[in-house]
Each structure stands twice: as structure tokens, then as C-alpha cells.
Amino acid sequence: MEAGQDSKKKDILSNIVTKRYAEKHDSRTCHIHDLEYYNTTYNCLGISVKDMVGDRKRSFGNMMNALHRAIVELTNMQSGGIGFIHFDSDVAAYIEEENDEEIIEIFHEFFLDLNMSTRKGCENPYVTFNFGLATSKKGRRASFLMLEAYERGDGRGNPFIFPNMVFKIKTGINQEEDTENHDLYMKALDVTAKRMVPTYFNCDSKANALFPADTIGIMGCRSRVVTNVNGREGSLNRGNVACVTLNLVQMAYQSEGDLDRFYIILDENLADARGVLLHRFQTLCEQGIFEEYYGKGYYLGAESCDAREMLKNGTLSIGFIGLWDAMAVLKGRTIDSASIIKEYYEEAIAIIRHMREYTDKITEEDHLNFSLLATAAEGVTGSFAQYDSAHQGKDFEVCKKGYYTNSFHVPVNMDVSYQEKIALEGEFHSLCNGGSITYVEFCEMPGRNVEAVQEIIEYACKMDCNYIGINFPMDHCTDCGYMGRIVGKCPCCQSAAIRRLRRVSGYLAEEDKFTAGKRKELKDRRFHMAANSMGVGRYDG
Ligand SMILES: [Zn+2]
């Protein structure tokens, strides 16, 4: 499978992608994501349950079975994730006489199916459920029971990896104590404290508050699709078409400490990012495989049976990684404290603002929805650093650590309180209109310490983060079901069968499946919050 994909990527790079952009991809300057789908399909999509299963009357269980089949089918027609924008109101319409246990069992079966290897024969569908705003009796029930089913895990209590669940926070609906869904919010926090899921989408942030909360949400692992220069706004029936990631650190090496020179190189690479995205868009319009797709009505404009009319509603994202690594190279200085970050903060913000002004400008000029993405950089984080280490940055400390830091995130190995981390990242969120996330690391599962989770989420909302998650090492014994931080063997039954779940780029994943770069990052991570008290420290594992 992997070898086949590699030869397909090579073939696309040499025969379809323009030579200049292929070189930029090869030199890890401007990475083209999902290259193997370059000429066939788009990345991700926001959707409603009704879009996928219709509104025919049937039992809740039958509806969820139909939904699973539709998800698997759609997953094979696109390269990235599927985001249900208001899953709770959606499924409420299908609940009839079923009792609570029956509904939990249906969700349980559904989650088991989602976690089976179905996607392209070897991966699972990347599905995200946005929820938390439905205040109807059935909508609230759906939310509570879905959380309950997720928390229980599979038959042996093992946590589910999929789906990703995103709780939408909104004042007047669930944030304050006297609001209708505050109890649901508290339940969500309780599950997060044990499972890292749900994550939280802040409907009240500066950028999000401009749009009705029920029309926006997360798709994939962080993609945010909201404005539209070509039609209806909001996240439904639209998605990210394609994205590239710029290597800010490499540009910093090349500019040799000269900020003016850095901007010249950045502008040149932004122009290339625009060029390759336009080329891909054009290629998809001409060669994309959408015939089966048009009749489904999933995508805005699909009824025209014309790829351009459909895809013009999606976004083209320019992403970036390694902002603080780039600053370290530019300044010739190790950036390892909040006070040093503050010293260079305005210059760092100015770089990201410059990139956002560029995507806004070309959105006007090209009449396509360009957006700025705080890239998750799944595979890229290590491969960029490795390449640069061999070709230009080998004497630099940021290269030696073996990975670059995610988007605008503060260095993961820096001792910083959660308040400082959030305050240093908050302002970047509103600039990254294509998607962003801030994480806070716990040293251990907070478990019963739900207040700590609540405090962090609310502080992040106050600091204007759009999307927030908490991370902790989630180990469990697959023999006896013991959960917690397990160093070595299971303390309960001495079994060595330990499954270690971590989140490094948007989704939960098993630690032993991480790329080398991500593993190095994981090892370097400091935590910002002890499980039972405040404080900073370091993983010793
Ligand atoms: Zn055990």
C-alpha cells in the first residue's frame, strides 16, 4: 500500500505538478498535502446527517447503519475528513420510541464500526461530530447518550479512537450555570477529563461570533470553513479543497538573520503556494472524478454537475509550521521561555498577519476562498527538519531536535503555565481562518479533576482561541482494562499488553504508529497542568 502510494506520488510530481512546484515540494519548502489525490478529489467536507441518509422514517438503529455505510462510501471519494456540523439536532429527528439503553447500544455499535479498518482498506474514516447547541428534548438526549456510549468505550472498556467529537461552546446556551445545556457541557468536560474527547469549539470567539453558531464547526482535525466569496457561507456542504504547508524555518535559515530578507523569501513562497493551489484547483476541475458524486447533493453547487461550480465553494488553504523555530533561527537564539517569546511576539504576529493579508488579497483577486491554516503537520514536522538538517540548518539547535513545532504553538519543550501558553497562542487563532487549535498538556489523566479541565477551556475561550483540546497520556491495559499512566507493565495484572493513545496532530492515535519526528516531539513535551494541582513539569516517560 505505502510503496504503491509513493510511486503514485512520484508519478504525479513528475507528470502533473508544474516543475517549479514539484521542486518546492521536494525541497520541503512548500509541501503539497494529499499529493496522491492531486488530480482526483478534494480534501474534506462539512455535512448534515439528512444529506447522507435522507429523512425517510425508520428506526434510529437502521438510520445509524445507513449513516455508517454513507460515511464509508464518502470517505472513499475524498482524501480527508467528514465533519457533521450539528450532529445533535440532526440525529434528534430520527429518535422515536427507543429507550436510553437502546440508543446507547446503537451509538456503541456505530462507534465500533467507525473504529474498524474500513477506509481505503486500511484506515478508519476521519469523522468529526460537532454538537452541544441542540436544546430540544431529543437533541439533548442524543448528546448525553452519545457521550455516555463514547465514555464506556468498546466491550472491554478500551477507549475509542474515532470519532472526534467537538463540543460547541456558546454563551446563553451552555456556558453559564443557568443556561439550558450547562449540564451537557459539564458532562462533556467530565468525558474529556477521561478520554481527551470532546475537544471544544468556541462559537463566541471574535472570528466565530460573526456567524450563526449552528452553521459553523470543525471538519477533519481542525479545518475551519466559514466565509465564501462564491455563495452561501458557513461550514455545511463545503470543505477544504486542498492545502499546502510552508516551511517557515527553512526560510529563516535562508535569510541568515535578516528579517527584510525573510519577508522577500516568504513572499516568493506565498506566490508559489498560491500558484500550486490554483494549478491543483484547475486540474481538479478538469480531471477530478466526481461523476458518482454529483447526484448526491452533498456539495454546494454539485447540482450543476460541474466540478468548478462545486469546488469554487470550498477553500484553498496555505498552512505553515515552525513559527517559533523560525524566530529562533532568525534571532540566533534559543527560545525557551515565555519572556523571550514576549520579546519577539510582535514580530511573530506580524509574520502571520502578513500571511493572512496575503490570503485575503488573493481571495479577492482570484475569486476563490484562500485561507490561512495553522497546519497540524502530521508527517511534515519530522520530514522538514530532517531535510533541512541535511541541507542547510545542521548547525542550528531547532534542527537537531528532529522536528519542527506545530504552526504557531509555543515550543513543546518550554516550561510554561497553561495560562501563559494560552495567552501566547490566543491572538493567532483569529488570524488563522482556515483552522487552528491550542492544546494544553496534562501530566496525567485529570480523571475526576473536571474543574481543572473546565478552567482551561474557559480561560482559552476568554483568550479568544477558536478551538481547544487537552492532552494527557492515555494508557490502558488491553488484558484487564486498567487505565491511567502506565510505565512498563500493568500495575494491576502485570500484563505487557499496553495500548498507548496520544494526540499529537488533531486525532488520537496509538503511540507506536507515530512517525519518528512526532515521537521525538512527544518525548520533548512538557506539561502545563499537573493532574491534581497547578504547575509545570516534564514527562519522565
Ligand atoms: Zn492489566
Side-chain angles (χ1 to χ4, degrees):
M1 183 82 185
E2 219 150 80
Q5 270 185 7
D6 278 352
S7 77
K8 187 162 189 196
K9 284 182 192 179
K10 273 199 193 106
D11 181 52
I12 286 173
L13 272 182
S14 24
N15 298 316
I16 296 179
V17 179
T18 314
K19 187 157 174 275
R20 179 180 175 90
Y21 308 138
E23 282 167 5
K24 291 272 174 163
H25 178 84
D26 280 337
S27 64
R28 312 298 193 276
T29 312
C30 176
H31 178 87
I32 305 167
H33 289 273
D34 301 316
L35 189 55
E36 62 273 41
Y37 302 97
Y38 193 91
N39 57 339
T40 48
T41 190
Y42 63 86
N43 177 14
C44 62
L45 183 67
I47 201 162
S48 76
V49 171
K50 192 177 152 184
D51 289 331
M52 297 194 103
V53 302
D55 47 9
R56 182 165 65 80
K57 262 208 176 321
R58 60 186 122 176
S59 75
F60 190 66
N62 284 342
M63 184 281 290
M64 291 296 278
N65 283 335
L67 184 62
H68 180 252
R69 287 192 297 273
I71 287 171
V72 172
E73 187 189 31
L74 177 57
T75 292
N76 287 301
M77 292 178 169
Q78 54 180 43
S79 67
I82 302 169
F84 290 89
I85 303 307
H86 34 56
F87 190 72
D88 46 358
S89 343
D90 282 2
V91 294
Y94 301 88
I95 295 179
E96 303 251 291
E97 303 302 319
E98 296 88 354
N99 68 35
D100 287 2
E101 266 315 310
E102 284 165 348
I103 292 175
I104 290 174
E105 184 53 30
I106 290 164
F107 275 127
H108 175 81
E109 293 285 324
F110 181 70
F111 292 161
L112 284 175
D113 285 344
L114 283 182
N115 283 275
M116 260 182 32
S117 298
T118 45
R119 183 173 190 248
K120 312 259 185 331
C122 70
E123 283 173 87
N124 298 84
Y126 291 143
V127 186
T128 301
F129 295 145
N130 295 268
F131 74 110
L133 299 182
T135 52
S136 70
K137 202 168 164 226
K138 282 182 180 174
R140 279 168 49 77
R141 247 182 99 205
S143 296
F144 271 104
L145 300 175
M146 176 169 76
L147 282 168
E148 182 65 34
Y150 188 84
E151 187 184 348
R152 286 188 195 177
D154 70 10
R156 308 163 83 178
N158 297 328
F160 289 121
I161 294 181
F162 299 101
N164 182 27
M165 295 199 281
V166 178
F167 189 88
K168 292 163 97 167
I169 292 189
K170 176 99 187 107
T171 51
I173 293 185
N174 51 39
Q175 177 97 98
E176 307 89 337
E177 270 176 34
D178 58 352
T179 47
E180 261 179 297
N181 277 1
H182 189 69
D183 53 351
L184 180 63
Y185 169 53
M186 294 309 291
K187 168 79 179 171
L189 292 168
D190 187 56
V191 177
T192 301
K194 294 171 195 147
R195 297 285 193 232
M196 286 195 257
V197 173
T199 45
Y200 294 82
F201 183 66
N202 177 12
C203 297
D204 301 318
S205 73
K206 266 201 302 263
N208 288 338
L210 302 169
F211 302 90
D214 60 349
T215 65
I216 56 176
I218 296 292
M219 60 199 75
C221 70
R222 70 183 62 183
S223 293
R224 179 182 174 276
V225 176
V226 178
T227 54
N228 186 1
V229 291
N230 287 313
R232 171 166 67 61
E233 302 200 309
S235 311
L236 271 171
N237 309 108
R238 313 171 50 211
N240 173 251
V241 175
C243 61
V244 294
T245 289
L246 293 178
N247 182 349
L248 295 180
V249 199
Q250 191 182 84
M251 298 179 211
Y253 296 132
Q254 290 164 352
S255 54
E256 294 170 333
D258 181 341
L259 195 62
D260 292 334
R261 187 141 174 242
F262 176 83
Y263 272 100
I264 292 169
I265 298 170
L266 176 61
D267 282 343
E268 184 189 304
N269 287 314
L270 281 168
D272 284 330
R274 174 197 201 172
V276 70
L277 286 169
L278 284 174
H279 179 263
R280 186 173 191 165
F281 183 83
Q282 187 58 32
T283 306
L284 277 174
C285 290
E286 288 162 9
Q287 303 175 24
I289 302 170
F290 301 115
E291 280 69 29
E292 263 185 274
Y293 195 92
Y294 293 135
K296 294 187 179 294
Y298 290 172
Y299 217 112
L300 202 58
E303 65 283 357
S304 64
C305 296
D306 180 293
R308 179 180 299 275
E309 286 307 300
M310 181 172 101
L311 298 176
K312 73 178 187 186
N313 292 296
T315 60
L316 300 170
S317 297
I318 298 180
F320 62 94
I321 67 165
L323 176 62
W324 287 108
D325 294 325
M327 290 309 289
V329 172
L330 277 170
K331 301 297 171 186
R333 191 173 171 191
T334 305
I335 294 184
D336 56 4
S337 75
S339 63
I340 300 178
I341 290 217
K342 279 176 199 151
E343 221 177 293
Y344 303 126
Y345 186 77
E346 286 310 320
E347 282 176 63
I349 275 276
I351 292 171
I352 303 308
R353 191 178 295 123
H354 179 81
M355 294 177 74
R356 170 60 188 277
E357 282 165 2
Y358 183 76
T359 57
D360 282 354
K361 177 177 88 97
I362 59 178
T363 296
E364 291 281 309
E365 291 175 3
D366 297 330
H367 298 283
L368 288 168
N369 300 300
F370 283 91
S371 63
L372 182 64
L373 171 71
T375 304
E378 225 136 325
V380 178
T381 173
S383 80
F384 276 14
Q386 274 160 27
Y387 181 90
D388 288 348
S389 167
H391 292 86
Q392 43 203 328
K394 55 183 173 297
D395 298 329
F396 287 89
E397 209 167 322
V398 295
C399 241
K400 286 182 194 149
K401 65 184 167 47
Y403 64 90
Y404 292 152
T405 312
N406 207 318
S407 63
F408 54 71
H409 289 179
V410 302
V412 297
N413 59 350
M414 196 171 94
D415 286 326
V416 63
S417 70
Y418 83 84
Q419 291 96 333
E420 279 176 315
K421 176 173 161 64
I422 287 169
L424 291 170
E425 294 181 359
E427 199 178 338
F428 288 98
H429 281 256
S430 62
L431 292 171
C432 298
N433 57 341
S436 55
I437 187 164
T438 279
Y439 292 123
V440 169
E441 306 282 336
F442 279 72
C443 66
E444 284 180 37
M445 178 196 290
R448 294 212 184 103
N449 192 2
V450 181
E451 296 77 20
V453 179
Q454 182 176 7
E455 200 178 294
I456 288 167
I457 302 298
E458 287 172 13
Y459 188 70
C461 286
K462 203 173 124 195
M463 291 290 119
D464 209 40
C465 295
N466 282 335
Y467 185 39
I468 313 116
I470 67 151
N471 293 339
F472 49 82
M474 193 159 72
D475 303 334
H476 64 103
C477 170
T478 58
D479 282 327
C480 77
Y482 177 87
M483 280 202 63
R485 176 119 185 280
I486 306 174
V487 183
K489 289 181 178 175
C490 172
C492 194
C493 74
Q494 305 305 315
S495 164
I498 310 298
R499 189 164 166 248
R500 301 176 192 282
L501 293 182
R502 301 290 184 272
R503 176 163 43 214
V504 278
S505 31
Y507 291 105
L508 300 186
E510 289 179 52
E511 194 184 56
D512 56 7
K513 293 189 182 146
F514 287 158
T515 58
K518 276 294 173 195
R519 229 171 283 162
K520 284 181 189 148
E521 180 196 322
L522 199 64
K523 217 169 154 230
D524 276 359
R525 275 191 193 178
R526 303 287 176 106
F527 56 86
H528 315 108
M529 191 84 172
N532 299 302
S533 60
M534 308 280 202
V536 295
R538 183 185 188 129
Y539 288 136
D540 50 22

